[in-house]
Amino acid sequence: MKTIRYNLCTFLLLCLFSLPGRALIATDNTQISVLTCAPGNELYSLFGHTAIRIQSPENALDAVFNYGTFDFHTDHFYLKYARGLLPYQLSVTSYENFIRSYIFDNRSVWSQTLQLDLQQKQRLLDLLTNNYKPENRTYLYNFLYDNCSTRVRDIIETSCGKTIRWHMPDEHKSFWNLLDKYLVRMPWVKWGIHTILGQPGNQTATRYQYMFLPDYLLEGLESATINETLLAAPVQTLFEAEDVALTNPWYASPLFIFTLASTAIICLLQRFRSRRFLVSIAFPLFFISGVIGCLLVFLGGFTQHPMTAPNYNLIWANPLNLLVLPWLWRSQLPRGVKKYLTLYVWILTLGLPMWFFLQPSVPYASIPLLVLMIYLSRRLKQKTHSSNMK
């Protein structure tokens, strides 16, 4: 996915496709290709990209239709992005500009020419032209079900009269399994995504659903057929990126960091029994877990994201933890706070075996955090004397 970039060539293409009554006429020389772009290093590009290239010598046209563009200048951009209401749109740019941007980003690009008859080519061109009309080009993006890859798949299917047969193997993978191979090189991003997204990610995806990822659409096109004829020609490499060594040392992973930090905190609190020291450790952890919990409640209950609820990370990241904060510095906790901490400990304790047997969507790197919160909650409930606050 790319943000919108304008230059003279792009402006001329925009004018071309915006002219009233302007239609692209398919000929035998018209080539329609699916472009698959390798993942990038930015968060929005971690899973790759898909676009459609149109080559029409009669129209002196070599353009790329791109369903994955958005505008950073959209009003309330971040709020709309968080709520799943950010409008994406179909844009058109020259192939030269498109490929240049991926060469600059050092991201490989592959091409698969569709083997369509004249009628199917014309129908696809008409659909693209209609989609590009100002009233049609914007759509509500959905990462799993309606994105740059699924839009390309769907428009190809429509142009072929729904006669495509997909033969890619069923790998029996969940949405998490499909995403995780792209997140190996960014373990902290992986932890964050697994924390934010909910239990629906554990659902087993169908072969057809695999193609929300550009790599799987490429794989699907390799074996897809229309009337026993291959839909696409063999894959061609348009640009092969240089290998970049990415190292993720084990000692920088969330699991190691959380385990080390939790162990160190528990050991220190066992060594130094000061109530003040205990509260100085518990306060930021209860605050952070409460804020994360508020974010999870917001994403699960007040957005259009389909994969954010239910979210079992609320077991440890509970918004009610914020209500405990004003009372922590007291030498004696109120009865209501103690009851909450007792309930919280039970929920966390039951959450540990549930993780091992039911495999909820809580990242395994968060298990040390569950253990730490159990320890802190139990210590905070203990009866203390005012002298211990010194």
Side-chain angles (χ1 to χ4, degrees):
M1 291 163 281
K2 289 280 185 180
T3 53
I4 302 172
R5 298 177 182 174
Y6 292 101
N7 54 33
L8 178 60
C9 186
T10 301
F11 174 75
L12 294 175
L13 283 169
L14 297 178
C15 294
L16 174 66
F17 290 105
S18 299
L19 291 175
R22 173 71 182 183
L24 288 175
I25 305 301
T27 68
D28 291 335
N29 294 324
T30 301
Q31 284 194 358
I32 302 176
S33 308
V34 174
L35 304 181
T36 303
C37 309
N41 295 321
E42 300 295 334
L43 184 59
Y44 66 81
S45 65
L46 283 180
F47 306 102
H49 183 54
T50 302
I52 297 179
R53 180 185 182 186
I54 306 295
Q55 295 169 272
S56 176
E58 288 77 9
N59 292 282
L61 179 69
D62 192 354
V64 176
F65 285 76
N66 185 348
Y67 282 99
T69 54
F70 56 86
D71 188 355
F72 275 120
H73 299 292
T74 302
D75 291 338
H76 311 294
F77 175 87
Y78 290 104
L79 178 60
K80 289 180 178 179
Y81 184 84
R83 296 189 63 198
L85 297 175
L86 180 65
Y88 276 58
Q89 65 185 57
L90 172 63
S91 64
V92 183
T93 188
S94 68
Y95 169 73
E96 180 182 357
N97 285 340
F98 182 87
I99 194 68
R100 185 188 296 125
S101 70
Y102 283 90
I103 293 174
F104 179 81
D105 291 340
N106 194 38
R107 294 171 60 185
S108 298
V109 181
W110 301 276
S111 174
Q112 292 167 287
T113 300
L114 300 178
Q115 302 182 132
L116 306 176
D117 60 33
L118 197 58
Q119 183 180 10
Q120 291 165 340
K121 289 181 183 179
Q122 187 61 59
R123 190 178 297 123
L124 198 152
L125 293 178
D126 291 342
L127 287 169
L128 287 173
T129 304
N130 183 63
N131 280 183
Y132 190 67
K133 290 179 180 179
E135 64 271 22
N136 297 333
R137 68 179 61 157
T138 300
Y139 71 100
L140 191 60
Y141 177 87
N142 185 299
F143 175 62
L144 295 179
Y145 303 116
D146 194 0
N147 63 16
C148 64
S149 185
T150 63
R151 286 255 160 176
V152 170
R153 177 200 63 194
D154 294 347
I155 201 171
I156 294 172
E157 281 196 319
T158 302
S159 67
C160 295
K162 301 291 185 179
T163 59
I164 298 176
R165 295 178 63 86
W166 304 96
H167 304 286
M168 58 195 305
D170 190 348
E171 300 178 10
H172 304 287
K173 288 185 175 181
S174 69
F175 287 103
W176 286 131
N177 299 145
L178 294 169
L179 294 176
D180 281 350
K181 74 175 185 178
Y182 297 91
L183 299 172
V184 171
R185 57 200 180 111
M186 294 186 175
W188 285 96
V189 173
K190 178 180 177 180
W191 177 80
I193 290 177
H194 273 260
T195 300
I196 290 174
L197 299 184
Q199 191 64 18
N202 274 344
Q203 296 175 0
T204 301
T206 66
R207 292 179 298 173
Y208 192 75
Q209 290 174 325
Y210 291 174
M211 289 183 282
F212 82 94
L213 289 167
D215 285 345
Y216 279 93
L217 178 58
L218 181 150
E219 181 182 336
L221 289 172
E222 283 186 302
S223 58
T225 58
I226 303 178
N227 299 324
E228 308 303 325
T229 301
L230 285 175
L231 172 61
V235 178
Q236 292 182 313
T237 301
L238 300 179
F239 171 69
E240 186 170 357
E242 298 178 4
D243 290 333
V244 178
L246 295 174
T247 58
N248 292 296
W250 58 270
Y251 51 82
S253 68
L255 178 61
F256 179 78
I257 297 295
F258 289 154
T259 301
L260 181 64
S262 298
T263 303
I265 288 172
I266 292 174
C267 290
L268 285 172
L269 291 175
Q270 285 293 103
R271 175 67 177 84
F272 302 101
R273 306 294 291 184
S274 165
R275 175 79 177 182
R276 187 178 295 277
F277 183 55
L278 169 65
V279 173
S280 66
I281 295 294
F283 191 94
L285 290 172
F286 270 72
F287 174 78
I288 293 171
S289 62
V291 170
I292 293 175
C294 290
L295 174 62
L296 300 185
V297 170
F298 170 74
L299 292 174
F302 302 95
T303 70
Q304 300 297 315
H305 298 294
M307 303 292 286
T308 53
N311 192 325
Y312 293 117
N313 287 283
L314 287 167
I315 291 173
W316 68 272
N318 195 321
L320 296 179
N321 286 353
L322 295 176
L323 301 180
V324 176
L325 298 179
W327 311 99
L328 290 183
W329 293 103
R330 293 194 175 189
S331 59
Q332 192 66 36
L333 296 179
R335 180 179 300 177
V337 175
K338 285 186 175 182
K339 287 184 177 180
Y340 169 73
L341 290 176
T342 299
L343 178 62
Y344 187 46
V345 168
W346 274 106
I347 292 173
L348 291 172
T349 304
L350 292 174
L352 289 175
M354 185 177 71
W355 188 90
F356 287 102
F357 292 107
L358 300 181
Q359 290 294 299
S361 58
V362 179
Y364 62 84
S366 296
I367 298 302
L369 299 179
L370 270 73
V371 175
L372 177 60
M373 296 305 285
I374 290 173
Y375 177 84
L376 292 175
S377 299
R378 290 177 61 88
R379 280 285 306 273
L380 288 169
K381 289 194 308 171
Q382 293 176 0
K383 189 174 181 180
T384 60
H385 302 285
S386 58
S387 60
N388 287 336
M389 288 296 293
K390 296 179 180 179

